[in-house]
Amino acid sequence: MASADQLINAFTTLLVTIDPPGLAPIFLGLTTGMSRAQRTQVALRGSTIAFIILAVFALFGAGVLGVLGISIGAFRIAGGLLLFWIAFEMVFERRQERKEKASEAAVTKDHIENIAVFPLALPLIAGPGAISATILLAGTLPTSVEKAQLIAVIAANLLLTFLMLLIAERLDRFLGVTGRAILTRLLGVILAALAVQFVVDGAKAALNLISATPH
């Protein structure tokens, strides 16, 4: 059974990589002209699909790595570096710009009804960072009970994301440009620290593996 510290770490990592407050203005842009009921439907569908994607990676991500011959230590280093890059983008205000470009491209290519799938569920909610973080966390929670706890943490994050999307208009007005900039940078610094920890843990695991290998 996972400790409270592990669950808090998992919740924080996923919350920061998904970044619900940062999604609010993009969601508003994607759903321009929709009624409140339509926005609710898009938010619910997008959050549900993102939950299914992350839950699948939580259950089977490590198995896929095993089939490919990738150790969890190596993936922790690679995933940690990817998360660090996302943190870098958050601190220097580049991630939001990239997300906005992805959402603009989707509006011109896909019908409005499919926005919940692309780009909302994938890649805005369940993006490369969230998927990598999920596989990394699943590697530290190997038992069935711990996996179930991780899925509950994912569900809590996606429920919070759904609620944030429901109040996106009010949240965007409340935070304003300055508030969003401060919050994004703060979350970026936290994610950078978590990413470095993943790299350190991965390096330790890789070094232990090398030292345990007979010469």
Side-chain angles (χ1 to χ4, degrees), residues 141-191:
L141 304 167
T143 69
S144 299
V145 175
E146 288 172 338
K147 286 277 196 297
Q149 288 177 306
L150 176 58
I151 288 171
V153 167
I154 293 168
N157 264 286
L158 271 297
L159 177 61
L160 183 60
T161 301
F162 171 64
L163 294 174
M164 287 279 193
L165 295 180
L166 284 186
I167 60 164
E169 204 168 340
R170 275 175 281 176
L171 184 69
D172 196 46
R173 274 202 310 265
F174 173 74
L175 287 175
V177 177
T178 306
R180 279 203 312 273
I182 292 168
L183 186 61
T184 300
R185 283 179 167 86
L186 180 62
L187 293 175
V189 171
I190 293 169
L191 182 59

Side-chain angles (χ1 to χ4, degrees), residues 82-92 187-189 191-193 195:
L82 174 62
L83 292 180
F84 189 84
W85 175 250
I86 290 170
F88 177 86
E89 286 188 323
M90 289 173 77
V91 171
F92 292 98
L187 293 175
V189 171
L191 182 59

Side-chain angles (χ1 to χ4, degrees), residues 58-142:
L59 292 171
F60 305 112
V64 171
L65 292 180
V67 169
L68 295 173
I70 301 168
S71 71
I72 195 65
F75 191 82
R76 275 182 192 157
I77 294 170
L81 292 173
L82 174 62
L83 292 180
F84 189 84
W85 175 250
I86 290 170
F88 177 86
E89 286 188 323
M90 289 173 77
V91 171
F92 292 98
E93 288 257 290
R94 292 181 185 175
R95 192 186 187 203
Q96 198 72 5
E97 185 184 336
R98 180 167 51 81
K99 280 184 170 183
E100 283 166 6
K101 282 180 182 174
S103 66
E104 283 166 16
V107 171
T108 57
K109 288 177 184 175
D110 286 338
H111 191 272
I112 199 84
E113 289 177 0
N114 297 323
I115 280 172
V117 182
F118 176 82
L120 185 59
L122 190 72
L124 294 179
I125 299 176
I131 290 170
S132 299
T134 299
I135 298 174
L136 288 170
L137 292 166
T140 63
L141 304 167

